[in-house]
Amino acid sequence: MKPFRLAVLAAALTAAPHAIAAPLEAYGKLPNIEQVAISPDGQKLGVIWSDGVQRRIVVRNMATRKLDQLGAGDVKVRSLDWAGPDHLLITTSTTSYISGVEAPRGEYAQLLDYDLAQGKVRPLMRGADESLNIIIGTPMVREIKGKTVVIVEGVSFVDNKGVDSLFQLDLKSGSSKIYRTGFKYTKDWVVGGDGEPLAEAEYNQETGAWTLRNRLASGGWGPLMTRTAPLDHPNLQGLGRTPDSFLISERVKDALVLHEVSASNPTVGEPLRQDLTGSLIQAAGGGVLLGFADLVGDEDVYTLLAPADAEAWRKIRRAYKGSRVQLVSWSADRSRIVVRVDPPDDGPSYALVDLKTGRADSIGFLYDDLKPQDVSPVRPIRYKAADGLEITGYLTLPNGRPDRKLPLVVLPHGGPAVRDDPGFDWWSQALASRGYAVLRVNFRGSAGFGRPFMEAGYGQWGRKMQSDLSDGVRFLAAEGTIDPARVCIAGASYGGYAALAGAVLDPKVYRCAVSVSGPADLPAMLATLKGSGRLEATRYWTRFMGAEDSKDPVLKDISPAAHADQVRIPILLIHGKDDTVVPLAQSLAMERALRAAGKDVQMITLAGEDHWLSRGETRQQMLTSLVAFLEKNNPPN
């Protein structure tokens, strides 16, 4: 069932052991396939395809083999969702201010309807009075009395104040209307199978008050649950196992407990799951709960509630033995399943599994220009930090070179409360193709290893979170795998901060550092967040920084811009001009501080780029600049 590339494999068998690596742009371009979604009837595939820079929406009718294509250019296409067999919903986003509205510059999402029967595309969320044309979250699709109904969260205005409200979209006319107006602090909704809201959650950022309301039989709303939590408040998680139930997750001691509440008996009873560590698997369009997906250590574990679904997944896993396999999308009857296959010796690909015929067909590779010999091996590693805490991570080794005395690039992840995983990582593979070993570390504070491990990172921003990285360097040096005199550090977002902190707070470990969109002036960063009203995000960061607020003097100790005079190595700063998460001003402040101190610094601004490197042209510009800087300051040979 694996989508083999026969010609490529035959060539690889006869290739020289030190074959020339693929061009750098083969790794740095946008994936040829960014997302695949199968229609509810299982007859069509919607694909976000790109040539590395320009995007298209491609729809393949598997019965007729007809292809429909819609040019998207450099528009940032975020997701595809089906609304029945003939309407493909396309979510895009734009970095902008909202004219006439008091709101920060941000990344705002819009929704388009690709009507395949008519061959037309039109924007949705237009025509509703006293509202914006943006959406919040993903569309919810419901089948009501034989009619497909699309419901989205958006913003309506009450007394000139924006509130999170529900909109119903008519795909036939393209019109939209507000059908449930939120309260002042509404944060989230769950909509039942009948298209009516089951639950609504409110959160006051200033006081930390969280309230859950459920729909009463009388048609009104009543409070079901209240909590006071400046951080880690409960969350609505969507529909439960039936279309008239909903899910709530709540932090209880060291576990995230999941409850299911029935609309007919609205009480919070025994947990459905005692510790929710991964993600929910739900039917398409925000439908009912079908199971759970967890990454346990380095293994994907799928727990599917229906025995038939569980048995089908076991068959798929057996067919792709030795590869990482992830569920992407499936038809309404779950007979056709789109999976992502990530083998250890080739690039990742998408495949369509048909359970009725027992057949799997390749949809395509994410990176068409990469051959098996262009993919470097990745191995999991474990080591003890200086204080004895066990740290895990992944080491990517360059093909064709013995794993002794290699030059190393440390590549810390962003977040910081996320994690690296064992799958294909384009940054690591690109750097390994140039001759570098690459270390990705799940330092303390990373998610996915239990609450105590995450909490071990609280207050350790720039401290033990940082030394966990250099402890990994020392571990690999002691093994003889890397040359400790040839180590650089690079990263994006929090990883960009860690790169700068490596130059300032751990200066004897690294020869050079590259920060992509990394915070550098922490008091200014927190002041910007607070000033824009993002109090919850401010608390999230201060918890890891070990600070009370933006004026806490402890922030200066761990701010790279405040210690530019201590830098002894070359630094490259790269930042997107349209970054609304970590403002461009952060890298500019670091550049000014380094230049004032007479240090070796380069600054590259990526025009039109956001925090996530969403544009193909600037993504390649980032990677090309990064590699050129590394090769100059830490030559791989």
Side-chain angles (χ1 to χ4, degrees), residues 63-330:
T64 65
R65 298 187 178 181
K66 179 185 177 185
L67 283 180
D68 290 295
Q69 299 190 51
L70 174 66
D74 58 1
V75 171
K76 293 183 281 190
V77 182
R78 298 303 186 184
S79 66
L80 300 178
D81 297 275
W82 286 94
D86 292 317
H87 290 271
L88 185 60
L89 305 178
I90 306 168
T91 300
T92 67
S93 75
T94 305
T95 309
S96 66
Y97 291 100
I98 301 178
S99 178
V101 176
E102 199 172 302
R105 187 167 182 258
E107 195 74 15
Y108 296 103
Q110 298 85 39
L111 190 64
L112 304 172
D113 171 32
Y114 188 4
D115 185 335
L116 294 163
Q118 299 292 325
K120 296 179 180 179
V121 179
R122 60 185 168 190
L124 298 174
M125 289 295 289
R126 293 184 182 271
D129 294 334
E130 297 297 320
S131 67
L132 299 176
N133 65 341
I134 64 171
I135 66 168
I136 301 169
T138 56
M140 294 168 276
V141 181
R142 302 288 182 260
E143 295 295 329
I144 305 171
K145 297 179 181 179
K147 182 180 180 181
T148 301
V149 176
V150 178
I151 299 162
V152 297
E153 287 184 55
V155 178
S156 67
F157 290 95
V158 178
D159 297 329
N160 296 318
K161 299 289 185 182
V163 295
D164 186 330
S165 300
L166 289 175
F167 293 72
Q168 193 172 98
L169 311 181
D170 188 325
L171 297 181
K172 186 174 181 180
S173 67
S175 65
S176 60
K177 66 178 181 180
I178 304 168
Y179 85 111
R180 286 293 179 272
T181 301
F183 300 95
K184 182 178 180 180
Y185 296 114
T186 297
K187 180 182 176 69
D188 203 1
W189 301 85
V190 174
V191 175
D194 61 358
E196 294 297 323
L198 294 177
E200 177 262 357
E202 301 169 41
Y203 181 63
N204 184 334
Q205 289 193 78
E206 293 185 1
T207 65
W210 183 88
T211 303
L212 173 67
R213 299 178 189 271
N214 66 297
R215 189 179 74 196
L216 303 176
S218 63
W221 292 88
L224 179 64
M225 183 176 173
T226 60
R227 296 286 188 271
T228 299
L231 271 173
D232 299 327
H233 56 73
N235 280 293
L236 284 173
Q237 296 281 2
L239 286 179
R241 292 171 290 180
T242 61
D244 62 347
S245 65
F246 58 92
L247 302 171
I248 311 163
S249 62
E250 181 177 21
R251 180 70 57 193
V252 179
K253 295 183 179 178
D254 290 339
L256 187 63
V257 177
L258 185 69
H259 292 277
E260 184 177 39
V261 178
S262 170
S264 60
N265 182 26
T267 58
V268 181
E270 291 298 312
L272 179 62
R273 185 158 177 170
Q274 292 285 357
D275 192 5
L276 182 65
T277 58
S279 58
L280 306 181
I281 302 172
Q282 292 171 304
V288 295
L289 178 70
L290 301 176
F292 305 93
D294 298 285
L295 182 56
V296 180
D298 301 324
E299 182 183 359
D300 291 289
V301 176
Y302 283 79
T303 306
L304 294 163
L305 303 179
D309 292 341
E311 177 57 26
W313 190 251
R314 280 192 289 270
K315 290 179 179 178
I316 292 172
R317 286 291 298 118
R318 287 196 295 268
Y320 289 104
K321 187 176 181 179
S323 296
R324 186 184 189 199
V325 187
Q326 295 169 284
L327 194 158
V328 176
S329 177
W330 51 14

